[in-house]
PDB file of all heavy atoms in Angstrom:
ATOM      1  N   HIS A  54      13.763   7.520 -35.945  1.00 92.00           N
ATOM      2  CA  HIS A  54      12.423   7.089 -36.320  1.00 92.00           C
ATOM      3  C   HIS A  54      11.993   5.790 -35.643  1.00 92.00           C
ATOM      4  O   HIS A  54      10.803   5.491 -35.575  1.00 92.00           O
ATOM      5  CB  HIS A  54      12.348   6.912 -37.844  1.00 92.00           C
ATOM      6  CG  HIS A  54      13.499   6.142 -38.398  1.00 92.00           C
ATOM      7  ND1 HIS A  54      14.681   6.744 -38.757  1.00 92.00           N
ATOM      8  CD2 HIS A  54      13.656   4.824 -38.635  1.00 92.00           C
ATOM      9  CE1 HIS A  54      15.519   5.823 -39.207  1.00 92.00           C
ATOM     10  NE2 HIS A  54      14.921   4.653 -39.131  1.00 92.00           N
ATOM     11  N   ALA A  55      12.954   4.991 -35.170  1.00 91.00           N
ATOM     12  CA  ALA A  55      12.618   3.701 -34.558  1.00 91.00           C
ATOM     13  C   ALA A  55      12.660   3.797 -33.037  1.00 91.00           C
ATOM     14  O   ALA A  55      13.332   4.667 -32.471  1.00 91.00           O
ATOM     15  CB  ALA A  55      13.592   2.628 -35.039  1.00 91.00           C
ATOM     16  N   TYR A  56      11.952   2.902 -32.378  1.00 91.00           N
ATOM     17  CA  TYR A  56      12.017   2.851 -30.914  1.00 91.00           C
ATOM     18  C   TYR A  56      13.441   2.507 -30.476  1.00 91.00           C
ATOM     19  O   TYR A  56      14.069   1.611 -31.044  1.00 91.00           O
ATOM     20  CB  TYR A  56      11.063   1.794 -30.367  1.00 91.00           C
ATOM     21  CG  TYR A  56       9.608   2.165 -30.464  1.00 91.00           C
ATOM     22  CD1 TYR A  56       8.747   1.446 -31.292  1.00 91.00           C
ATOM     23  CD2 TYR A  56       9.083   3.218 -29.726  1.00 91.00           C
ATOM     24  CE1 TYR A  56       7.406   1.781 -31.390  1.00 91.00           C
ATOM     25  CE2 TYR A  56       7.743   3.559 -29.812  1.00 91.00           C
ATOM     26  CZ  TYR A  56       6.906   2.833 -30.645  1.00 91.00           C
ATOM     27  OH  TYR A  56       5.588   3.167 -30.741  1.00 91.00           O
ATOM     28  N   PRO A  57      13.927   3.167 -29.443  1.00 94.00           N
ATOM     29  CA  PRO A  57      15.250   2.817 -28.929  1.00 94.00           C
ATOM     30  C   PRO A  57      15.194   1.534 -28.101  1.00 94.00           C
ATOM     31  O   PRO A  57      14.122   1.123 -27.641  1.00 94.00           O
ATOM     32  CB  PRO A  57      15.620   4.022 -28.046  1.00 94.00           C
ATOM     33  CG  PRO A  57      14.296   4.527 -27.572  1.00 94.00           C
ATOM     34  CD  PRO A  57      13.324   4.295 -28.701  1.00 94.00           C
ATOM     35  N   LEU A  58      16.342   0.921 -27.908  1.00 94.00           N
ATOM     36  CA  LEU A  58      16.430  -0.260 -27.056  1.00 94.00           C
ATOM     37  C   LEU A  58      16.488   0.158 -25.590  1.00 94.00           C
ATOM     38  O   LEU A  58      17.233   1.073 -25.219  1.00 94.00           O
ATOM     39  CB  LEU A  58      17.677  -1.074 -27.395  1.00 94.00           C
ATOM     40  CG  LEU A  58      17.745  -1.694 -28.788  1.00 94.00           C
ATOM     41  CD1 LEU A  58      19.126  -2.313 -29.016  1.00 94.00           C
ATOM     42  CD2 LEU A  58      16.651  -2.748 -28.953  1.00 94.00           C
ATOM     43  N   THR A  59      15.729  -0.524 -24.749  1.00 94.00           N
ATOM     44  CA  THR A  59      15.777  -0.260 -23.315  1.00 94.00           C
ATOM     45  C   THR A  59      17.190  -0.463 -22.772  1.00 94.00           C
ATOM     46  O   THR A  59      17.652   0.299 -21.914  1.00 94.00           O
ATOM     47  CB  THR A  59      14.798  -1.178 -22.572  1.00 94.00           C
ATOM     48  OG1 THR A  59      13.466  -0.903 -23.021  1.00 94.00           O
ATOM     49  CG2 THR A  59      14.870  -0.960 -21.067  1.00 94.00           C
ATOM     50  N   VAL A  60      17.878  -1.474 -23.268  1.00 95.00           N
ATOM     51  CA  VAL A  60      19.218  -1.774 -22.760  1.00 95.00           C
ATOM     52  C   VAL A  60      20.268  -0.806 -23.298  1.00 95.00           C
ATOM     53  O   VAL A  60      21.413  -0.808 -22.840  1.00 95.00           O
ATOM     54  CB  VAL A  60      19.652  -3.213 -23.103  1.00 95.00           C
ATOM     55  CG1 VAL A  60      18.767  -4.214 -22.393  1.00 95.00           C
ATOM     56  CG2 VAL A  60      19.645  -3.448 -24.612  1.00 95.00           C
ATOM     57  N   GLY A  61      19.890   0.028 -24.274  1.00 96.00           N
ATOM     58  CA  GLY A  61      20.853   0.915 -24.890  1.00 96.00           C
ATOM     59  C   GLY A  61      21.538   0.262 -26.067  1.00 96.00           C
ATOM     60  O   GLY A  61      21.564  -0.970 -26.199  1.00 96.00           O
ATOM     61  N   THR A  62      22.103   1.059 -26.932  1.00 97.00           N
ATOM     62  CA  THR A  62      22.820   0.517 -28.075  1.00 97.00           C
ATOM     63  C   THR A  62      24.081  -0.198 -27.600  1.00 97.00           C
ATOM     64  O   THR A  62      24.628   0.118 -26.527  1.00 97.00           O
ATOM     65  CB  THR A  62      23.232   1.632 -29.040  1.00 97.00           C
ATOM     66  OG1 THR A  62      24.177   2.500 -28.378  1.00 97.00           O
ATOM     67  CG2 THR A  62      22.027   2.448 -29.493  1.00 97.00           C
ATOM     68  N   PRO A  63      24.568  -1.155 -28.370  1.00 97.00           N
ATOM     69  CA  PRO A  63      25.845  -1.785 -28.008  1.00 97.00           C
ATOM     70  C   PRO A  63      26.977  -0.773 -27.849  1.00 97.00           C
ATOM     71  O   PRO A  63      27.837  -0.933 -26.976  1.00 97.00           O
ATOM     72  CB  PRO A  63      26.099  -2.744 -29.171  1.00 97.00           C
ATOM     73  CG  PRO A  63      24.738  -3.073 -29.697  1.00 97.00           C
ATOM     74  CD  PRO A  63      23.952  -1.807 -29.555  1.00 97.00           C
ATOM     75  N   VAL A  64      26.964   0.268 -28.685  1.00 97.00           N
ATOM     76  CA  VAL A  64      28.012   1.290 -28.583  1.00 97.00           C
ATOM     77  C   VAL A  64      27.933   2.013 -27.243  1.00 97.00           C
ATOM     78  O   VAL A  64      28.962   2.272 -26.588  1.00 97.00           O
ATOM     79  CB  VAL A  64      27.901   2.286 -29.754  1.00 97.00           C
ATOM     80  CG1 VAL A  64      28.883   3.442 -29.568  1.00 97.00           C
ATOM     81  CG2 VAL A  64      28.158   1.582 -31.081  1.00 97.00           C
ATOM     82  N   LEU A  65      26.727   2.357 -26.800  1.00 98.00           N
ATOM     83  CA  LEU A  65      26.580   3.035 -25.514  1.00 98.00           C
ATOM     84  C   LEU A  65      26.987   2.122 -24.371  1.00 98.00           C
ATOM     85  O   LEU A  65      27.716   2.543 -23.455  1.00 98.00           O
ATOM     86  CB  LEU A  65      25.139   3.509 -25.323  1.00 98.00           C
ATOM     87  CG  LEU A  65      24.814   4.105 -23.944  1.00 98.00           C
ATOM     88  CD1 LEU A  65      25.752   5.251 -23.591  1.00 98.00           C
ATOM     89  CD2 LEU A  65      23.350   4.563 -23.884  1.00 98.00           C
ATOM     90  N   ARG A  66      26.536   0.885 -24.398  1.00 98.00           N
ATOM     91  CA  ARG A  66      26.897  -0.028 -23.304  1.00 98.00           C
ATOM     92  C   ARG A  66      28.413  -0.214 -23.221  1.00 98.00           C
ATOM     93  O   ARG A  66      28.981  -0.233 -22.125  1.00 98.00           O
ATOM     94  CB  ARG A  66      26.181  -1.361 -23.471  1.00 98.00           C
ATOM     95  CG  ARG A  66      24.709  -1.312 -23.032  1.00 98.00           C
ATOM     96  CD  ARG A  66      24.024  -2.634 -23.243  1.00 98.00           C
ATOM     97  NE  ARG A  66      23.677  -2.829 -24.650  1.00 98.00           N
ATOM     98  CZ  ARG A  66      23.403  -4.009 -25.199  1.00 98.00           C
ATOM     99  NH1 ARG A  66      23.467  -5.107 -24.471  1.00 98.00           N
ATOM    100  NH2 ARG A  66      23.072  -4.085 -26.468  1.00 98.00           N
ATOM    101  N   GLN A  67      29.067  -0.324 -24.366  1.00 98.00           N
ATOM    102  CA  GLN A  67      30.517  -0.463 -24.337  1.00 98.00           C
ATOM    103  C   GLN A  67      31.181   0.814 -23.858  1.00 98.00           C
ATOM    104  O   GLN A  67      32.189   0.769 -23.139  1.00 98.00           O
ATOM    105  CB  GLN A  67      31.034  -0.824 -25.738  1.00 98.00           C
ATOM    106  CG  GLN A  67      32.523  -1.188 -25.753  1.00 98.00           C
ATOM    107  CD  GLN A  67      32.841  -2.385 -24.878  1.00 98.00           C
ATOM    108  OE1 GLN A  67      32.193  -3.431 -24.975  1.00 98.00           O
ATOM    109  NE2 GLN A  67      33.838  -2.241 -23.995  1.00 98.00           N
ATOM    110  N   ALA A  68      30.603   1.969 -24.197  1.00 98.00           N
ATOM    111  CA  ALA A  68      31.153   3.240 -23.715  1.00 98.00           C
ATOM    112  C   ALA A  68      31.069   3.324 -22.190  1.00 98.00           C
ATOM    113  O   ALA A  68      31.988   3.850 -21.539  1.00 98.00           O
ATOM    114  CB  ALA A  68      30.405   4.410 -24.351  1.00 98.00           C
ATOM    115  N   ILE A  69      29.981   2.824 -21.615  1.00 98.00           N
ATOM    116  CA  ILE A  69      29.849   2.806 -20.148  1.00 98.00           C
ATOM    117  C   ILE A  69      30.888   1.883 -19.531  1.00 98.00           C
ATOM    118  O   ILE A  69      31.548   2.222 -18.547  1.00 98.00           O
ATOM    119  CB  ILE A  69      28.420   2.388 -19.744  1.00 98.00           C
ATOM    120  CG1 ILE A  69      27.394   3.418 -20.233  1.00 98.00           C
ATOM    121  CG2 ILE A  69      28.318   2.227 -18.227  1.00 98.00           C
ATOM    122  CD1 ILE A  69      25.946   2.975 -20.069  1.00 98.00           C
ATOM    123  N   VAL A  70      31.050   0.694 -20.117  1.00 98.00           N
ATOM    124  CA  VAL A  70      32.056  -0.261 -19.633  1.00 98.00           C
ATOM    125  C   VAL A  70      33.445   0.368 -19.686  1.00 98.00           C
ATOM    126  O   VAL A  70      34.221   0.302 -18.714  1.00 98.00           O
ATOM    127  CB  VAL A  70      32.006  -1.559 -20.460  1.00 98.00           C
ATOM    128  CG1 VAL A  70      33.219  -2.443 -20.155  1.00 98.00           C
ATOM    129  CG2 VAL A  70      30.721  -2.324 -20.187  1.00 98.00           C
ATOM    130  N   ASP A  71      33.787   0.974 -20.813  1.00 98.00           N
ATOM    131  CA  ASP A  71      35.112   1.575 -20.975  1.00 98.00           C
ATOM    132  C   ASP A  71      35.319   2.725 -19.998  1.00 98.00           C
ATOM    133  O   ASP A  71      36.421   2.895 -19.451  1.00 98.00           O
ATOM    134  CB  ASP A  71      35.282   2.080 -22.411  1.00 98.00           C
ATOM    135  CG  ASP A  71      35.322   0.954 -23.431  1.00 98.00           C
ATOM    136  OD1 ASP A  71      35.515  -0.214 -23.034  1.00 98.00           O
ATOM    137  OD2 ASP A  71      35.133   1.246 -24.631  1.00 98.00           O
ATOM    138  N   TRP A  72      34.263   3.544 -19.806  1.00 98.00           N
ATOM    139  CA  TRP A  72      34.373   4.669 -18.876  1.00 98.00           C
ATOM    140  C   TRP A  72      34.644   4.189 -17.465  1.00 98.00           C
ATOM    141  O   TRP A  72      35.492   4.747 -16.757  1.00 98.00           O
ATOM    142  CB  TRP A  72      33.086   5.490 -18.921  1.00 98.00           C
ATOM    143  CG  TRP A  72      33.067   6.635 -17.957  1.00 98.00           C
ATOM    144  CD1 TRP A  72      33.552   7.887 -18.146  1.00 98.00           C
ATOM    145  CD2 TRP A  72      32.531   6.612 -16.618  1.00 98.00           C
ATOM    146  NE1 TRP A  72      33.358   8.654 -17.019  1.00 98.00           N
ATOM    147  CE2 TRP A  72      32.735   7.897 -16.083  1.00 98.00           C
ATOM    148  CE3 TRP A  72      31.912   5.633 -15.849  1.00 98.00           C
ATOM    149  CZ2 TRP A  72      32.329   8.216 -14.782  1.00 98.00           C
ATOM    150  CZ3 TRP A  72      31.506   5.950 -14.559  1.00 98.00           C
ATOM    151  CH2 TRP A  72      31.715   7.235 -14.032  1.00 98.00           C
ATOM    152  N   PHE A  73      33.951   3.160 -17.012  1.00 98.00           N
ATOM    153  CA  PHE A  73      34.171   2.640 -15.661  1.00 98.00           C
ATOM    154  C   PHE A  73      35.611   2.199 -15.473  1.00 98.00           C
ATOM    155  O   PHE A  73      36.212   2.433 -14.405  1.00 98.00           O
ATOM    156  CB  PHE A  73      33.215   1.475 -15.369  1.00 98.00           C
ATOM    157  CG  PHE A  73      31.994   1.869 -14.600  1.00 98.00           C
ATOM    158  CD1 PHE A  73      30.758   1.903 -15.217  1.00 98.00           C
ATOM    159  CD2 PHE A  73      32.067   2.205 -13.257  1.00 98.00           C
ATOM    160  CE1 PHE A  73      29.618   2.269 -14.511  1.00 98.00           C
ATOM    161  CE2 PHE A  73      30.943   2.571 -12.538  1.00 98.00           C
ATOM    162  CZ  PHE A  73      29.711   2.605 -13.166  1.00 98.00           C
ATOM    163  N   GLU A  74      36.187   1.574 -16.474  1.00 97.00           N
ATOM    164  CA  GLU A  74      37.574   1.119 -16.332  1.00 97.00           C
ATOM    165  C   GLU A  74      38.544   2.295 -16.378  1.00 97.00           C
ATOM    166  O   GLU A  74      39.469   2.376 -15.563  1.00 97.00           O
ATOM    167  CB  GLU A  74      37.915   0.112 -17.427  1.00 97.00           C
ATOM    168  CG  GLU A  74      39.330  -0.441 -17.299  1.00 97.00           C
ATOM    169  CD  GLU A  74      39.578  -1.672 -18.136  1.00 97.00           C
ATOM    170  OE1 GLU A  74      38.642  -2.128 -18.831  1.00 97.00           O
ATOM    171  OE2 GLU A  74      40.710  -2.194 -18.102  1.00 97.00           O
ATOM    172  N   ARG A  75      38.313   3.230 -17.280  1.00 97.00           N
ATOM    173  CA  ARG A  75      39.248   4.333 -17.469  1.00 97.00           C
ATOM    174  C   ARG A  75      39.179   5.366 -16.349  1.00 97.00           C
ATOM    175  O   ARG A  75      40.219   5.831 -15.868  1.00 97.00           O
ATOM    176  CB  ARG A  75      38.944   5.005 -18.814  1.00 97.00           C
ATOM    177  CG  ARG A  75      39.969   6.058 -19.231  1.00 97.00           C
ATOM    178  CD  ARG A  75      39.631   6.640 -20.601  1.00 97.00           C
ATOM    179  NE  ARG A  75      38.478   7.541 -20.586  1.00 97.00           N
ATOM    180  CZ  ARG A  75      37.274   7.235 -21.077  1.00 97.00           C
ATOM    181  NH1 ARG A  75      37.064   6.042 -21.629  1.00 97.00           N
ATOM    182  NH2 ARG A  75      36.279   8.110 -21.027  1.00 97.00           N
ATOM    183  N   ARG A  76      37.977   5.724 -15.938  1.00 96.00           N
ATOM    184  CA  ARG A  76      37.808   6.818 -14.980  1.00 96.00           C
ATOM    185  C   ARG A  76      37.603   6.347 -13.541  1.00 96.00           C
ATOM    186  O   ARG A  76      37.874   7.101 -12.611  1.00 96.00           O
ATOM    187  CB  ARG A  76      36.619   7.699 -15.387  1.00 96.00           C
ATOM    188  CG  ARG A  76      36.731   8.342 -16.742  1.00 96.00           C
ATOM    189  CD  ARG A  76      37.871   9.325 -16.852  1.00 96.00           C
ATOM    190  NE  ARG A  76      37.653  10.562 -16.118  1.00 96.00           N
ATOM    191  CZ  ARG A  76      38.375  11.669 -16.292  1.00 96.00           C
ATOM    192  NH1 ARG A  76      39.366  11.684 -17.170  1.00 96.00           N
ATOM    193  NH2 ARG A  76      38.121  12.749 -15.581  1.00 96.00           N
ATOM    194  N   ARG A  77      37.115   5.131 -13.350  1.00 96.00           N
ATOM    195  CA  ARG A  77      36.773   4.687 -11.994  1.00 96.00           C
ATOM    196  C   ARG A  77      37.609   3.497 -11.530  1.00 96.00           C
ATOM    197  O   ARG A  77      37.472   3.065 -10.389  1.00 96.00           O
ATOM    198  CB  ARG A  77      35.282   4.314 -11.896  1.00 96.00           C
ATOM    199  CG  ARG A  77      34.292   5.372 -12.346  1.00 96.00           C
ATOM    200  CD  ARG A  77      34.433   6.704 -11.611  1.00 96.00           C
ATOM    201  NE  ARG A  77      34.511   6.588 -10.172  1.00 96.00           N
ATOM    202  CZ  ARG A  77      33.489   6.346  -9.353  1.00 96.00           C
ATOM    203  NH1 ARG A  77      32.267   6.215  -9.865  1.00 96.00           N
ATOM    204  NH2 ARG A  77      33.652   6.263  -8.057  1.00 96.00           N
ATOM    205  N   GLY A  78      38.434   2.934 -12.414  1.00 95.00           N
ATOM    206  CA  GLY A  78      39.253   1.802 -12.015  1.00 95.00           C
ATOM    207  C   GLY A  78      38.480   0.518 -11.820  1.00 95.00           C
ATOM    208  O   GLY A  78      38.931  -0.391 -11.118  1.00 95.00           O
ATOM    209  N   VAL A  79      37.313   0.419 -12.441  1.00 97.00           N
ATOM    210  CA  VAL A  79      36.458  -0.766 -12.319  1.00 97.00           C
ATOM    211  C   VAL A  79      36.696  -1.666 -13.527  1.00 97.00           C
ATOM    212  O   VAL A  79      36.431  -1.272 -14.665  1.00 97.00           O
ATOM    213  CB  VAL A  79      34.974  -0.370 -12.232  1.00 97.00           C
ATOM    214  CG1 VAL A  79      34.083  -1.614 -12.250  1.00 97.00           C
ATOM    215  CG2 VAL A  79      34.725   0.453 -10.980  1.00 97.00           C
ATOM    216  N   THR A  80      37.181  -2.857 -13.284  1.00 95.00           N
ATOM    217  CA  THR A  80      37.491  -3.793 -14.358  1.00 95.00           C
ATOM    218  C   THR A  80      36.498  -4.949 -14.368  1.00 95.00           C
ATOM    219  O   THR A  80      35.784  -5.198 -13.392  1.00 95.00           O
ATOM    220  CB  THR A  80      38.911  -4.351 -14.187  1.00 95.00           C
ATOM    221  OG1 THR A  80      39.022  -4.981 -12.892  1.00 95.00           O
ATOM    222  CG2 THR A  80      39.950  -3.242 -14.275  1.00 95.00           C
ATOM    223  N   GLY A  81      36.454  -5.656 -15.497  1.00 95.00           N
ATOM    224  CA  GLY A  81      35.675  -6.887 -15.586  1.00 95.00           C
ATOM    225  C   GLY A  81      34.227  -6.725 -15.976  1.00 95.00           C
ATOM    226  O   GLY A  81      33.511  -7.721 -16.108  1.00 95.00           O
ATOM    227  N   LEU A  82      33.740  -5.484 -16.155  1.00 97.00           N
ATOM    228  CA  LEU A  82      32.356  -5.303 -16.581  1.00 97.00           C
ATOM    229  C   LEU A  82      32.196  -5.696 -18.043  1.00 97.00           C
ATOM    230  O   LEU A  82      33.123  -5.578 -18.848  1.00 97.00           O
ATOM    231  CB  LEU A  82      31.923  -3.847 -16.412  1.00 97.00           C
ATOM    232  CG  LEU A  82      31.897  -3.265 -14.995  1.00 97.00           C
ATOM    233  CD1 LEU A  82      31.471  -1.803 -15.036  1.00 97.00           C
ATOM    234  CD2 LEU A  82      30.979  -4.062 -14.088  1.00 97.00           C
ATOM    235  N   THR A  83      31.010  -6.164 -18.393  1.00 97.00           N
ATOM    236  CA  THR A  83      30.638  -6.411 -19.780  1.00 97.00           C
ATOM    237  C   THR A  83      29.331  -5.678 -20.053  1.00 97.00           C
ATOM    238  O   THR A  83      28.744  -5.069 -19.144  1.00 97.00           O
ATOM    239  CB  THR A  83      30.450  -7.910 -20.052  1.00 97.00           C
ATOM    240  OG1 THR A  83      29.267  -8.369 -19.363  1.00 97.00           O
ATOM    241  CG2 THR A  83      31.653  -8.724 -19.577  1.00 97.00           C
TER     242      THR A  83
END
Side-chain angles (χ1 to χ4, degrees):
H54 47 273
Y56 288 114
L58 296 173
T59 298
V60 295
T62 65
V64 173
L65 174 55
R66 282 179 282 161
Q67 188 60 50
I69 296 171
V70 169
D71 293 344
W72 177 86
F73 262 108
E74 182 165 0
R75 188 178 73 253
R76 300 296 288 195
R77 306 303 312 284
V79 174
T80 57
L82 297 179
T83 69

